[in-house]
Amino acid sequence: MTPTRTSYVCLPCRASYKQSPTGDHRRPCPRCARPLLRAGSAFAAPRRRDTAAWRTLSVLLNAGVDFHKSCCGGPGYRPRTLFEVRERMAYARRTGEPFARALVRSALP
């Protein structure tokens, strides 16, 4: 059985790398030498030209939301557009719910 590989992302380069999650999780980007962010094993990178998707992804990763598989399949709901992110940010401000938890809600009440 092969070990699970996880994705690491460089937001300034808009690049994703699959690597073994062994040892230290701080890894430098092969292109710019900045630290890579750990995205998770169920991460699928958007196209490099899709700036809106990369902006959405940067909000998610900087908020601490990752893309690890859950027990029943994929990582669950993640917003795909900046509009969905803004909706959830407004909901979090209005209700006082933590920002990371509001981002992964599939539906807002």
Side-chain angles (χ1 to χ4, degrees):
M1 189 154 135
T2 61
T4 306
R5 294 171 59 111
T6 190
S7 291
Y8 291 85
V9 175
C10 180
L11 295 172
C13 295
R14 295 185 189 164
S16 169
Y17 305 97
K18 288 257 186 196
Q19 298 178 356
S20 300
T22 56
D24 189 15
H25 294 296
R26 285 177 271 158
R27 296 162 192 242
C29 174
R31 292 175 142 194
C32 68
R34 292 184 179 141
L36 294 172
L37 297 173
R38 188 173 182 190
S41 58
F43 175 73
R47 293 187 184 270
R48 189 167 286 158
R49 285 181 260 160
D50 191 354
T51 57
W54 280 96
R55 286 174 56 199
T56 302
L57 178 64
S58 71
V59 170
L60 291 171
L61 291 177
N62 288 322
V65 176
D66 56 17
F67 295 82
H68 291 288
K69 294 177 184 172
S70 66
C71 64
C72 301
Y77 175 79
R78 301 293 184 262
R80 292 182 158 251
T81 63
L82 289 172
F83 177 74
E84 292 174 342
V85 168
R86 283 188 205 109
E87 274 184 328
R88 281 152 180 74
M89 286 173 68
Y91 175 78
R93 273 189 234 112
R94 203 172 48 245
T95 62
E97 183 173 15
F99 186 53
R101 190 176 309 151
L103 281 172
V104 297
R105 278 185 168 273
S106 59
L108 295 177

